[in-house]
Amino acid sequence: MSNTVSLPLLETDGVAPCCPPLTSAPLSEEDSVRMAAMFKALADPVRLRLFSRVVSHEGGEACVCDIQDVGVSQPTVSHHLKKLREAGLLTSERRGTWVYYRVEPGVLTAMAGMLSAAAG
């Protein structure tokens, strides 16, 4: 019997969830809302540390048991990881008693691409 839980994902167009470089054209309202949610989620120091631990973890995914030591209680870690999932930055999968997190495909590329200068 599998304990895998499927989570709803944000709508994405292809691999990257959004957006053209800021220097190429003004953002649409939809793109600005989507990217603001991602940057807002990362604007918290604890969330940024958790995200960094997942991104830099060997194999591209991390068990919550390996990343939860960020100076706050376990319920607070769970809250912050939930906010990162809701913003479309992380996905998670339950395996037995542990939850494993990985970065949503294309997120880093999309965020970097949005902030990079347009090729020209």
Side-chain angles (χ1 to χ4, degrees):
M1 182 169 150
S2 174
N3 288 333
T4 302
V5 176
S6 296
L7 298 173
L9 301 177
L10 295 176
E11 290 292 321
T12 61
D13 300 323
V15 175
C18 130
C19 297
L22 289 174
T23 56
S24 68
L27 283 175
S28 69
E29 183 176 348
E30 181 182 332
D31 287 345
S32 65
V33 168
R34 187 177 315 143
M35 290 308 288
M38 291 181 178
F39 285 116
K40 182 178 179 180
L42 291 174
D44 182 280
V46 172
R47 289 185 203 146
L48 187 57
R49 287 183 66 205
L50 288 167
F51 186 75
S52 172
R53 286 181 176 208
V54 173
V55 170
S56 64
H57 203 270
E58 186 176 331
E61 73 173 5
C63 175
V64 69
C65 59
D66 294 329
I67 62 171
Q68 65 186 1
D69 185 21
V70 290
V72 296
S73 67
Q74 187 281 322
T76 303
V77 168
S78 293
H79 166 77
H80 287 301
L81 288 168
K82 177 182 176 186
K83 292 297 185 182
L84 291 168
R85 285 192 328 267
E86 289 174 347
L89 295 167
L90 296 178
T91 61
S92 64
E93 178 183 357
R94 179 171 292 283
R95 298 181 197 154
T97 59
W98 297 110
V99 178
Y100 288 77
Y101 292 88
R102 66 190 144 291
V103 176
E104 187 66 55
V107 164
L108 294 175
T109 302
M111 293 176 87
M114 186 187 136
L115 295 175
S116 68

